[in-house]
Amino acid sequence: MIMILTTLYSKAQLKGKLIEISAQFSFTEGPTADEQGNIYFTDQPNNSIWKYDTNGLLSLFMQPAGRSNGMFMDKEGFIVSCADEKNELWRIDPVSKAVDVLVTGYQNKLLNGPNDVWVSDRGTMYFTDPFYDRDYWQRDSSELPQALYMLQQGKLIQIDAALDKPNGIIGSPDGKHLFVADIGADKTFVYDVNGDGTLSNKRLFCEKGSDGMTVDDRGNVYLTGKGVFIYNKDGQQIHHIDVPAEWTANVCFGGKQHAYLFITASEKIFKIYPDW
């Protein structure tokens, strides 16, 4: 299925204008952008990944897709996906669509369901593993604490299990800090990323949790839920984007020059040219 969805606006008209791209989905999640600015996002209930390119072309990229949820494009151009159908972490080739299963469990136990992921420039992967019971699972309980994990050189390490329900995750533009939202505790924490990829100095960033999240090149952090909440690098809220949808799940920057904020929200996907 391919659709061309374009609307012509002047730069002045675009600034701060929330543009609905499509409302044809069941629940959108996991937006991530490649180097050119093309957006990939998931429609998890329909077990699919979609692509919205820089020319306004919307197309089905992959189905089935392992019930992919959060995703992140690594520096080599592969899509790292939280595929929670079988509680796995995937790496998808965007050309061949071949799947490399990176993680299948931890200490011979099932993960809860990888939810969101961030990949550093060095290739270290960090992902959250909350427990959200799925109707397509054949289990109804958790074998592991809800935790933050690190995958480095093929080794999976449980970093922080002292979280209520970790969800959104994003690294700072310089890669020196990692932000992790605890949606269960309604807080977001920040960690220092050490030279070897380990984390230290966990501290409160702000008194608000989040589903998905992203960061801009100025260090502002974008949290989601009832719209998009924007915090500066000091943890102070500076803006809110009202999104006409029941729930705003995730965000990322993309499009030409990565100038747009893309927002996945319930059955919809939006984009907005920032004016803050």
Side-chain angles (χ1 to χ4, degrees):
M1 181 183 296
I2 297 176
M3 294 169 285
I4 298 177
L5 304 170
T6 56
T7 306
L8 296 177
Y9 296 97
S10 68
K11 287 185 178 180
Q13 288 175 315
L14 282 173
K15 206 168 186 181
K17 181 180 179 65
L18 187 66
I19 300 170
E20 182 181 301
I21 296 171
S22 180
Q24 71 184 74
F25 310 103
S26 293
F27 191 82
T28 56
E29 250 287 7
T32 188
D34 63 18
E35 188 175 2
Q36 291 74 39
N38 302 305
I39 298 294
Y40 296 83
F41 65 96
T42 65
D43 184 5
Q44 193 179 37
N46 291 315
N47 197 11
S48 57
I49 299 174
W50 287 74
K51 180 180 179 180
Y52 179 74
D53 73 17
T54 55
N55 294 314
L57 185 71
L58 178 67
S59 60
L60 181 64
F61 170 73
M62 187 176 184
Q63 189 180 44
R67 298 282 184 172
S68 288
N69 192 352
M71 302 190 297
F72 195 85
M73 190 76 62
D74 69 18
K75 285 299 178 182
E76 295 180 353
F78 290 85
I79 302 167
V80 179
S81 167
C82 295
D84 80 6
E85 182 176 24
K86 295 181 180 178
N87 318 104
E88 297 171 335
L89 191 69
W90 286 8
R91 193 171 187 243
I92 305 169
D93 186 320
V95 178
S96 69
K97 302 178 187 177
V99 172
D100 182 13
V101 180
L102 304 176
V103 172
T104 58
Y106 179 70
Q107 295 183 344
N108 296 316
K109 296 180 180 179
L110 283 176
L111 291 168
N112 294 308
N115 191 278
D116 278 309
V117 59
W118 177 71
V119 186
S120 74
D121 286 352
R122 295 183 177 182
T124 302
M125 301 177 186
Y126 305 85
F127 67 90
T128 55
D129 187 46
F131 185 79
Y132 291 101
D133 194 16
R134 307 296 193 189
D135 58 11
Y136 44 82
W137 285 348
Q138 296 182 2
R139 63 168 176 143
D140 56 9
S141 61
S142 175
E143 297 180 13
L144 290 165
Q146 302 184 74
L148 170 65
Y149 288 86
M150 176 178 75
L151 180 65
Q152 188 178 64
Q153 297 179 344
K155 183 179 181 180
L156 184 62
I157 301 169
Q158 188 182 91
I159 298 175
D160 190 353
L163 296 161
D164 187 359
K165 191 177 285 293
N167 199 312
I169 187 169
I170 195 68
S172 61
D174 61 8
K176 294 181 178 180
H177 300 98
L178 182 70
F179 299 89
V180 177
D182 188 340
I183 198 170
D186 199 23
K187 299 178 187 296
T188 295
F189 296 95
V190 58
Y191 305 74
D192 292 340
V193 181
N194 303 317
D196 61 357
T198 58
L199 304 181
S200 61
N201 192 25
K202 175 185 175 183
R203 57 204 181 274
L204 182 69
F205 175 69
C206 68
E207 293 276 357
K208 186 164 186 61
S210 183
D211 196 337
M213 57 199 300
T214 194
V215 65
D216 65 24
D217 56 9
R218 294 173 291 172
N220 296 321
V221 178
Y222 295 66
L223 308 181
T224 59
K226 293 296 184 179
V228 181
F229 300 82
I230 305 167
Y231 287 76
N232 65 20
K233 60 183 180 180
D234 298 317
Q236 301 166 333
Q237 186 178 338
I238 58 173
H239 194 68
H240 176 260
I241 303 170
D242 186 32
V243 178
E246 184 176 352
W247 182 255
T248 300
N250 218 325
V251 283
C252 80
F253 279 92
K256 294 179 180 178
Q257 290 81 50
H258 290 246
Y260 282 93
L261 178 71
F262 286 81
I263 303 169
T264 55
S266 297
E267 75 279 7
K268 304 176 182 179
I269 181 170
F270 301 87
K271 65 179 180 179
I272 187 170
Y273 187 82
D275 67 343
W276 48 88

